[in-house]
Amino acid sequence: MPMLGDILAAARGSAGTFQRWLQASDSDLVDRMGAAAANLGLSSSGYARLAVADFSRFASEEDWATLTSSLRDSDDPGTVCLLAMVHWRLAVS
């Protein structure tokens, strides 16, 4: 299993292409993320990077436990991590 730092780096690195992938798989989340990004004066990829940074700094132990559990069975931990962090950021906004 990859180290958490590697997963976070993959999530940050995926932020630029994340929106294209997400548009094809969850357009509702793209709309929610786009609106939240616009409210903060950010691009969607900027919002994804903010989600990673905020989760890293402010998420509770329970949030981290949920994230690490979901990573265990994933073939693409970077994407799973990024999705979870964007969902978390939208929920706490």
Side-chain angles (χ1 to χ4, degrees):
M1 176 157 208
M3 299 296 292
L4 184 57
D6 295 334
I7 294 169
L8 291 173
R12 280 189 296 273
S14 298
T17 58
F18 180 66
Q19 185 178 7
R20 286 188 301 272
W21 171 83
L22 191 56
Q23 185 67 42
S25 63
D26 190 344
S27 61
D28 180 55
L29 183 57
V30 170
D31 294 342
R32 290 177 47 220
M33 188 172 81
N39 285 339
L40 295 173
L42 297 171
S43 67
S44 292
S45 58
Y47 187 85
R49 287 183 186 92
L50 176 68
V52 172
D54 283 355
F55 190 95
S56 298
R57 291 178 23 211
F58 302 118
S60 69
E61 287 182 28
E62 183 177 321
D63 295 324
W64 278 103
T66 300
L67 175 62
T68 55
S69 292
S70 65
L71 294 175
R72 231 179 281 140
D73 299 324
S74 173
D75 292 333
D76 186 359
T79 299
V80 169
C81 187
L82 189 53
L83 272 171
M85 291 177 175
V86 167
H87 277 287
W88 175 86
R89 182 69 172 85
L90 288 167
V92 299
S93 295

